[in-house]
């Protein structure tokens, strides 16, 4: 089913599947629509949030998934994933995907997987690539968009893929009252892009790998005093920890003053604040564009202009303790 962008596709899936008392499992921190969209469904049964934690390498905790799905009086029939994971660019293993599907299958739970960064795995051989959820699970739904793998943001085309006809009928019923058809011009542009898919993906991956190496040097060598991360293995995003005296929100505000944009962790959590979740120092950075090296060098200039004051502030804090 084709939609005017991936956002509408995600909304449609949640409106169709999270209704009539259905409880949903979501993961946090996460892209807002993958965390909150079930709450938009009529008569939804609420959500169970499972945290992805830095001390666990941001992995999906399968024990928490089992507990969430098997509890709640068997009303948990919808689960939303984001793989590769946004904001961290981390991809689960095939073993984890298989076990998660097994648990969902036992409970007849539908799985919606936001796969907008799929096809952008960093390994040259693509050996870390997972099967799409629609291919791996009979009740799986895969959400895809032109904007990320192919860089076609202005085309505004996204789609849902699913093998279960009863689920597809639900999606069509909701789609009809949202956007029954998409722009013909967008469809034509989308076909043009997909006709050159191999070339575009190859070029995109070359840019991403080059930029990722520059970011690795920035974090792990040049400024390891101030930054750390779990190195991403897919997509064009990373979740970075600022080790300095400011919060990531403060850092983002100061960077904005010099024309640099980051997304602090509060953009990826819902009710409970980033402080309570231990995420106050984290921010997302994107590295998928050709101009990224220029932004990174500007970032380096910013760091070097503030290092002395950060050290003084840290020394004062240590003295006060």
């Amino acid at each position: 089913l084709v939609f005017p962008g991936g956002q509408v596709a995600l909304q449609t899936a949640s409106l169709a599947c999270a209704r009539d008392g259905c409880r949903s499992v979501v993961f946090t921190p996460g892209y807002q629509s993958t965390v909150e969209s079930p709450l938009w469904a009529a008569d939804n049964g609420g959500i169970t949030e499972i945290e992805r934690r830095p001390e666990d390498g941001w992995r999906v905790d399968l024990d928490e998934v089992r507990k969430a799905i098997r509890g709640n009086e068997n009303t948990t029939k919808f689960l939303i994933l984001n793989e590769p994971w946004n904001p961290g660019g981390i991809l689960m293993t095939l073993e984890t995907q298989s076990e998660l599907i097994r648990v969902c299958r036992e409970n007849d739970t539908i799985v919606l997987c936001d796969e907008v960064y799929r096809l952008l795995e960093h390994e040259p051989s693509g050996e870390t690539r997972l099967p799409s959820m629609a291919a791996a699970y009979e009740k799986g739904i895969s959400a895809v968009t032109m904007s990320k793998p192919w860089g076609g943001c202005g085309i505004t085309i996204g789609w849902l893929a699913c093998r279960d006809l009863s689920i597809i009928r639900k999606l069509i019923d909701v789609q009809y009252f949202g956007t029954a058809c998409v722009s013909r011009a967008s469809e034509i542009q989308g076909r043009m892009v997909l006709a050159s898919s191999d070339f575009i993906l190859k070029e995109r991956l070359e840019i991403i790998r080059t930029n990722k190496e520059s970011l690795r040097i920035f974090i792990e060598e040049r400024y390891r005093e101030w930054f750390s991360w779990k190195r991403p293995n897919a997509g064009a995003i990373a979740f970075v920890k600022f080790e300095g005296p400011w919060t990531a929100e403060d850092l983002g505000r100061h960077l904005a003053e010099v024309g640099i944009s980051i997304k602090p962790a509060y953009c990826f959590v819902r009710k409970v604040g980033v402080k309570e979740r231990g995420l106050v120092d984290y921010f997302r950075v994107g590295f998928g564009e050709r101009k990224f090296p220029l932004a990174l060098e500007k970032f380096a200039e910013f760091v070097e202009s503030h290092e002395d004051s950060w050290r003084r502030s840290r020394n004062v804090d240590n003295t006060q303790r």
Side-chain angles (χ1 to χ4, degrees):
L1 299 178
V2 181
F3 299 85
Q7 187 73 266
V8 180
L10 290 173
Q11 293 169 2
T12 298
S14 287
L15 291 174
C17 299
R19 62 201 307 175
D20 301 327
C22 172
R23 190 165 185 85
S24 304
V25 175
V26 300
F27 296 87
T28 184
Y31 184 63
Q32 185 180 16
S33 292
T34 67
V35 177
E36 298 185 15
S37 59
L39 298 175
W40 306 336
D43 192 30
N44 70 83
I47 61 175
T48 300
E49 295 186 46
I50 297 178
E51 290 190 37
R52 299 179 74 144
R53 301 181 176 88
E55 60 268 28
D56 297 330
W58 305 113
R59 69 178 179 84
V60 169
D61 189 329
L62 288 172
D63 289 335
E64 291 295 322
V65 173
R66 294 185 189 96
K67 188 187 306 181
I69 288 183
R70 292 169 180 169
N72 299 306
E73 300 179 346
N74 202 36
T75 61
T76 302
K77 298 298 182 181
F78 189 48
L79 179 146
I80 305 181
L81 275 175
N82 188 191
E83 292 289 329
W85 175 58
N86 182 1
I90 306 295
L91 186 63
M92 66 168 56
T93 64
L94 178 60
E95 291 74 20
T96 298
Q97 186 198 53
S98 299
E99 177 60 16
L100 184 141
I101 289 172
R102 188 186 70 80
V103 173
C104 291
R105 181 180 285 122
E106 288 177 353
N107 195 62
D108 199 33
T109 296
I110 296 170
V111 177
L112 167 65
C113 191
D114 180 349
E115 299 173 0
V116 299
Y117 285 106
R118 191 170 179 269
L119 306 182
L120 295 178
E121 296 81 6
H122 299 168
E123 290 296 324
S125 62
E127 61 191 31
T128 57
R129 181 172 301 159
L130 297 174
S132 70
M133 188 56 66
Y137 178 36
E138 60 276 10
K139 286 189 173 290
I141 306 171
S142 293
V144 187
T145 178
M146 298 294 302
S147 63
K148 297 300 188 291
W150 297 279
C153 301
I155 297 175
T156 60
I157 286 286
W159 61 89
L160 297 173
C162 181
R163 290 187 285 156
D164 188 300
L165 291 179
S166 64
I167 295 174
I168 292 173
R169 279 194 291 269
K170 289 181 180 180
L171 296 172
I172 291 173
D173 287 344
V174 175
Q175 181 191 33
Y176 179 78
F177 289 101
T179 305
C181 58
V182 299
S183 161
R184 181 59 176 157
S186 292
E187 288 187 336
I188 293 171
Q189 289 176 316
R191 290 172 63 91
M192 291 169 63
V193 168
L194 292 176
S196 302
S197 179
D198 290 345
F199 174 82
I200 293 172
L201 290 174
K202 181 175 181 294
E203 184 180 52
R204 294 275 290 133
L205 281 167
E206 288 173 355
I207 294 170
I208 287 171
R209 290 174 186 140
T210 299
N211 289 345
K212 177 186 171 183
E213 177 60 13
S214 298
L215 186 58
R216 184 198 67 77
I217 293 170
F218 181 97
I219 293 172
E220 298 180 11
E221 298 180 15
R222 293 176 67 183
Y223 304 111
R224 60 186 179 184
E225 180 181 359
W226 305 117
F227 302 97
S228 60
W229 67 342
K230 167 69 175 178
R231 198 182 298 176
N233 61 355
I237 49 176
F239 215 27
V240 180
K241 183 179 183 182
F242 180 52
E243 305 282 0
W246 299 340
T247 65
E249 186 174 353
D250 291 334
L251 177 65
R253 186 166 54 251
H254 288 295
L255 284 171
E257 293 171 356
V258 296
I260 300 173
S261 175
I262 62 172
K263 281 192 176 294
Y266 73 81
C267 297
F268 304 99
V269 298
R270 202 171 65 91
K271 284 186 177 179
V272 179
V274 293
K275 186 175 182 180
E276 290 82 351
R277 296 182 187 272
L279 299 174
V280 70
D281 300 318
Y282 286 88
F283 63 94
R284 191 190 75 177
V285 60
F287 53 92
E289 298 188 21
R290 290 186 184 277
K291 62 183 178 182
F292 175 77
L294 296 175
L296 192 61
E297 199 50 46
K298 189 75 172 178
F299 197 174
E301 293 173 7
F302 176 89
V303 172
E304 290 173 6
S305 69
H306 288 80
E307 281 185 303
D308 288 343
S309 65
W310 290 344
R311 291 191 184 102
R312 285 194 299 269
S313 178
R314 187 166 57 190
N315 290 337
V316 169
D317 289 344
N318 290 338
T319 302
Q320 290 176 345
R321 292 196 189 107

